[in-house]
Amino acid sequence: MNRTFFFDAAWLPEGWRPRVRVVVRDGMITEVRHGSEAAADDARLTRVVPGLPNLHSHAFQRAMAGLAERRGPSGADDFWSWREVMYRFLERIEPDDLETIATYAYADMLEAGFTSVGEFHYLHRSPQGGLYQDPAELALRHAAAADTTGIGLTLLPVFYESSQFGGAPPTAGQRRFITDGAEFARIVARVRAAVPASGARNCGIAPHSLRAVTAAQLASLLREHPRGPVHIHAAEQVKEVEDCLAFTGLRPVEWLLAHAGLDERWCIVHATHLTDAEITGLARSGAVAGLCPITEANLGDGVFPAPAFCDAQGRWGIGTDSHIRLDAAGELRQLEYSQRLVHRRRNVLARRDQASSGTSLFEAALRGGAQALALPVGAIAAGCRADFLELDGAHPDLTARGPELTLDTWLFAVGRSLIRQVIAGGETVVEHGRHRHRERIDADYRRVIGRLLHAD
Ligand code: NGQ
Ligand code: ZN
């Protein structure tokens, strides 16, 4: 489909420019010109920025957002007790349920400012523990949800084999995640065939964590999949760092740097607990740190050492992980605010050559997100997918402010409700802040969630 757009002002790779005209063919930008005149049939938008890539999602967890905010019997609630609640929640999710939940999550993501997503997908088996007739049944439900909503998708099938360092057998709660090497290869091959790579689709692999995958399996996965994104959870919890040290003599990121050949293919999800040497090593590797600030705050993970990592030119992007709250501006605000609270300073992540905190944060997250998803996204430029957010230029908080204050105002002052329209792959998927299929998506979701929560 071909469309032309005219933006009063747009944030291009070179900065804010007035009167920008954009030509889109088959969902991709073919031409960008600023200082132009509008043509009669251009779609007209006020202030426009690229949609943000979301590099880390477990879509099904959206349905349990808000259900684990109650004190447990011991009063010692932490990441691991949350994980038990999450394992119980996923017990009875069937394929249709998963598609409905993922569709709901992706529609919410689009409304929240994310136009592409990396789905770190580990629910492979049925509730009874068997593989489906199509071993990629559940993976492909995410592709269907992406088709329905219009979001760009990099699918990352997860390899999961053990419950602890040293290859300890999986627990009963983990039975739906487990595959052997051959089953995993079939899932990846099936996804690659059913969801061909394009400007809006890609497929990588995700060894779940150093807890869940042995060193030998990781080596063979990397041999068998020499190209495409590789995502892994690492160094999120202090206990995980201690267990890794006890078993291998190295910390998780230290181990990955020494043994996994980290480079631009990799996304290290969380990377919360790092030594100075790990910070420099990870930054130099070219891998992306997959930060999930709102989930990390919700789970009590810790605070990422962002100033040192940014000083070392480290690359990072944003994931929404558990989807406890979907909000692109809110993720970047949380990242900056956690730094302000720890360091008792302001504008901690604003660059030396870019005074605006909002602009510095948004620019880094666009670049890191696009790299981690390995999709042509994250910029209003020829060759990129046409993913645009219209921030309401007529909003009272924006009218008297020049474009260069738009990102600071969005991230820090107004938030998610400033997003009026979202264009994904050239199509208008969100208007007046609502997904175009919102009514049907909500109705389906209400039906599914009612059954999942009240089945017994
Ligand atoms: C996950 N989530 O895979 O959904 C994990 C929990 C684990 C986060 N780490 C399970 N935030 O790490 O074992
Ligand atoms: Zn995760």
Side-chain angles (χ1 to χ4, degrees):
M1 192 184 53
N2 300 342
R3 279 185 91 181
T4 53
F5 293 87
F6 185 85
F7 307 147
D8 293 342
W11 194 57
L12 306 182
E14 60 267 36
W16 282 97
R17 291 293 179 270
R19 301 192 314 279
V20 175
R21 191 150 189 276
V22 175
V23 179
V24 173
R25 278 188 220 294
D26 299 327
M28 306 297 285
I29 301 171
T30 56
E31 206 182 305
V32 180
R33 259 178 229 271
H34 58 81
S36 300
E37 298 304 318
D41 53 358
D42 289 351
R44 293 194 67 147
L45 283 73
T46 54
R47 293 201 198 176
V48 178
V49 299
L52 193 67
N54 177 358
L55 56 67
H56 191 68
S57 161
H58 309 289
F60 76 86
Q61 291 178 15
R62 180 60 186 80
M64 62 169 284
L67 293 180
E69 307 301 322
R70 301 171 65 83
R71 187 183 196 272
S74 71
D77 297 290
D78 64 5
F79 172 88
W80 307 101
S81 60
W82 167 83
R83 195 176 76 156
E84 289 307 316
V85 177
M86 190 266 281
Y87 283 1
R88 282 200 298 280
F89 181 77
L90 62 78
E91 290 267 296
R92 45 179 174 231
I93 297 177
E94 302 278 0
D96 286 345
D97 306 331
L98 185 69
E99 184 175 334
T100 300
I101 296 169
T103 304
Y104 182 78
Y106 292 172
D108 202 3
M109 270 177 214
L110 285 158
E111 292 175 357
F114 296 105
T115 43
S116 49
V117 61
E119 183 63 38
F120 195 107
H121 165 69
Y122 57 85
L123 213 53
H124 299 306
R125 309 189 93 87
S126 76
Q128 295 71 38
L131 272 190
Y132 292 94
Q133 193 174 3
D134 180 346
E137 171 76 42
L138 292 175
L140 295 179
R141 296 305 187 124
H142 295 92
D147 290 343
T148 305
T149 56
I151 203 163
L153 175 70
T154 291
L155 251 175
L156 301 153
V158 170
F159 187 82
Y160 202 114
E161 63 179 334
S162 57
S163 62
Q164 209 21 294
F165 292 91
T171 64
Q174 295 164 341
R175 70 184 179 285
R176 300 192 66 181
F177 318 159
I178 307 304
T179 61
D180 63 24
E183 289 167 337
F184 181 72
R186 279 169 60 211
I187 292 173
V188 175
R190 172 81 179 111
V191 169
R192 293 221 157 111
V195 188
S198 69
R201 296 284 182 271
N202 203 349
C203 173
I205 57 165
H208 181 276
S209 54
L210 293 176
R211 259 177 288 125
V213 180
T214 60
Q217 269 294 354
L218 181 60
S220 88
L221 284 175
L222 294 171
R223 259 195 320 275
E224 280 158 36
H225 303 279
R227 276 176 301 281
V230 184
H231 289 217
I232 188 168
H233 292 119
E236 178 182 15
Q237 281 283 316
V238 170
K239 178 179 182 298
E240 173 207 338
V241 176
E242 288 167 353
D243 291 348
C244 188
L245 256 174
F247 183 72
T248 68
L250 298 175
R251 304 161 55 86
V253 170
E254 193 181 15
W255 191 94
L256 287 165
L257 286 165
H259 298 290
L262 297 191
D263 62 12
E264 284 84 358
R265 294 177 73 190
W266 286 78
C267 176
I268 311 301
V269 182
H270 308 301
T272 310
H273 301 285
L274 303 176
T275 62
D276 289 346
E278 288 175 310
I279 290 171
T280 4
L282 185 57
R284 282 206 192 119
S285 74
V288 173
L291 310 181
C292 309
I294 295 179
T295 293
E296 288 156 8
N298 181 267
L299 296 179
D301 288 338
V303 176
F304 177 73
F309 188 70
C310 292
D311 281 348
Q313 319 290 317
R315 304 172 190 192
W316 59 268
I318 289 293
T320 62
D321 195 356
S322 70
H323 319 305
I324 180 66
R325 164 131 190 94
L326 285 165
D327 184 351
E331 292 287 354
L332 295 167
R333 182 168 65 239
Q334 175 71 39
L335 174 63
E336 169 68 22
Y337 277 1
S338 64
Q339 302 299 326
R340 293 189 189 189
L341 290 165
V342 167
H343 299 287
R344 288 179 261 156
R345 282 168 40 212
R346 301 190 66 254
N347 301 320
V348 180
L349 298 176
R351 297 198 314 264
R352 276 186 202 91
D353 62 337
Q354 174 50 265
S356 153
S357 288
T359 307
S360 298
L361 289 159
F362 195 58
E363 194 163 65
L366 287 171
R367 196 173 316 128
Q371 179 180 321
L373 300 188
L375 288 175
V377 297
I380 302 177
C384 282
R385 187 174 188 244
D387 289 349
F388 312 131
L389 311 181
E390 181 193 26
L391 302 173
D392 182 4
H395 191 284
D397 277 316
L398 272 190
T399 38
R401 297 184 184 187
E404 67 289 348
L405 287 165
T406 307
L407 288 164
D408 288 337
T409 305
W410 176 38
L411 263 58
F412 294 102
V414 183
R416 184 179 144 139
S417 64
L418 195 59
I419 300 173
R420 194 163 60 172
Q421 271 191 67
V422 179
I423 317 290
E427 292 202 36
T428 306
V429 294
V430 171
E431 261 181 309
H432 303 293
R434 275 173 72 87
H435 192 277
R436 59 181 173 177
H437 303 317
R438 178 46 81 189
E439 236 166 90
R440 176 160 54 88
I441 290 170
D442 282 1
D444 288 349
Y445 183 75
R446 281 202 185 88
R447 191 171 32 74
V448 163
I449 208 65
R451 198 171 44 70
L452 282 176
L453 294 185
H454 304 294
D456 45 34

